[in-house]
Amino acid sequence: RRVLFRSAFQPGSSNYRKAIAFLLEAKKDAYRLGRIGWEAQCCCLLSKACYMLGDTLNGARWYFSLVNDPAFKGLDAIQAKARSYAGMYCPFKAETHRFRLNCLAEAKLLYERIKDTGNQINTLMDLAYVWFASGDTKSSEETAAEALKLQQAWHFPQTQFCYDLLAFLKKFQGDFAGSLQLALTSLKATEATADRFFLPRAYARIAGSYEMLSDADAALQSHRKALQAEIDIGGNMLLYILLTNLSVTD
């Protein structure tokens, strides 16, 4: 059954529908066997699958069946995951904006309560992205800074994503020098963790900052490094973006 679940959660509507069918069957078995934790996991994943299909109504139905059921109240890890999934996978619409933010904020508090620092950091980053997508740059930056502070306290090595987001936010705010410094720090963390797959994006962020500072030569060199790094990992979609950027800069 685990193999079926993994295959069902591959991208694509047909796979999500398969997942729902398997999960409904599993939920019945869990209820029959009195396995509360398994039943809660099924509700959590049913909610996610429905949200991935764009089915907000049924996604919310399964979500609230988990968070409002007293039988599942003490399952903090599953409760946190359900909120995290709802915050990230609920379709992005004006009417779901506050719901998504609230879900992620509650997930963050639950992860903090159970001392799951890794997921607390991930949730803060997700929250920062959602804040930006909703147009609140200030809250996005504050949340990303909170995530970075926690990463540093925890000696978490993969800080490149957080520095990259902060660099993007500084660029968006017009602080191009600040953006460049953060982008360079992101590159340093990328190299320190040997993250080949993030390397093209790190160089591209630096190139963009140099462009805003009107340093065409430095921007060109960074674009070339980004392109080579993307070629080295056999990239696809980003490759076309980098080629376009390079043709404009060169």
Side-chain angles (χ1 to χ4, degrees):
R1 180 166 287 174
R2 288 180 180 176
V3 174
L4 290 174
F5 282 161
R6 284 199 294 270
S7 65
F9 270 109
Q10 294 300 311
S13 298
S14 62
N15 288 318
Y16 296 134
R17 291 191 178 93
K18 288 179 186 177
I20 290 171
F22 294 142
L23 287 164
L24 287 171
E25 182 184 349
K27 185 178 181 299
K28 290 179 183 178
D29 290 344
Y31 178 78
R32 178 174 54 81
L33 295 169
R35 303 302 295 263
I36 296 295
W38 291 359
E39 190 178 357
Q41 286 278 15
C42 288
C43 291
C44 175
L45 294 174
L46 280 163
S47 176
K48 176 185 176 182
C50 289
Y51 281 139
M52 294 297 287
L53 284 169
D55 186 350
T56 308
L57 182 63
N58 282 307
R61 180 169 69 88
W62 286 114
Y63 171 77
F64 286 111
S65 74
L66 171 60
V67 302
N68 291 337
D69 191 331
F72 303 141
K73 186 176 181 180
L75 304 173
D76 284 350
I78 299 174
Q79 292 282 359
K81 182 163 66 173
R83 287 163 170 79
S84 177
Y85 283 168
M88 286 306 296
Y89 299 115
C90 180
F92 185 75
K93 302 176 182 178
E95 58 268 28
T96 64
H97 162 64
R98 180 50 55 185
F99 169 72
R100 297 172 77 227
L101 288 172
N102 288 343
C103 285
L104 289 170
E106 290 173 10
K108 179 252 182 184
L109 292 175
L110 282 168
Y111 283 130
E112 186 176 6
R113 181 195 297 175
I114 62 177
K115 302 187 186 323
D116 186 343
T117 308
N119 273 316
Q120 186 182 349
I121 290 170
N122 289 337
T123 303
L124 281 167
M125 289 296 292
D126 291 339
L127 190 55
Y129 287 120
V130 174
W131 273 124
F132 177 77
S134 67
D136 191 336
T137 308
K138 183 175 183 293
S139 293
S140 178
E141 186 173 27
E142 289 173 351
T143 307
E146 184 181 353
L148 179 60
K149 184 177 180 181
L150 190 57
Q151 288 173 343
Q152 292 170 334
W154 197 46
H155 303 292
F156 185 73
Q158 281 83 17
T159 55
Q160 58 265 38
F161 310 104
C162 197
Y163 278 116
D164 179 73
L165 175 58
L166 288 166
F168 169 75
L169 291 170
K170 286 294 185 187
K171 180 181 176 182
F172 186 82
Q173 295 164 0
D175 183 357
F176 305 131
S179 176
L180 176 60
Q181 290 306 309
L182 288 163
L184 289 169
T185 306
S186 176
L187 173 62
K188 184 176 179 181
T190 303
E191 292 174 334
T193 55
D195 188 349
R196 295 169 55 244
F197 292 95
F198 194 75
L199 192 59
R201 197 168 298 278
Y203 278 125
R205 184 73 67 202
I206 291 170
S209 296
Y210 276 128
E211 285 178 352
M212 294 297 100
L213 291 167
S214 300
D215 191 336
D217 289 340
L220 177 60
Q221 291 304 313
S222 294
H223 276 309
R224 285 174 173 168
K225 290 178 181 179
L227 179 62
Q228 186 58 56
E230 185 68 13
I231 291 171
D232 290 343
I233 61 172
N236 189 358
M237 292 303 295
L238 184 59
L239 192 62
Y240 294 104
I241 297 172
L242 293 171
L243 282 168
T244 301
N245 291 342
L246 190 57
S247 67
V248 173
T249 309
D250 200 346

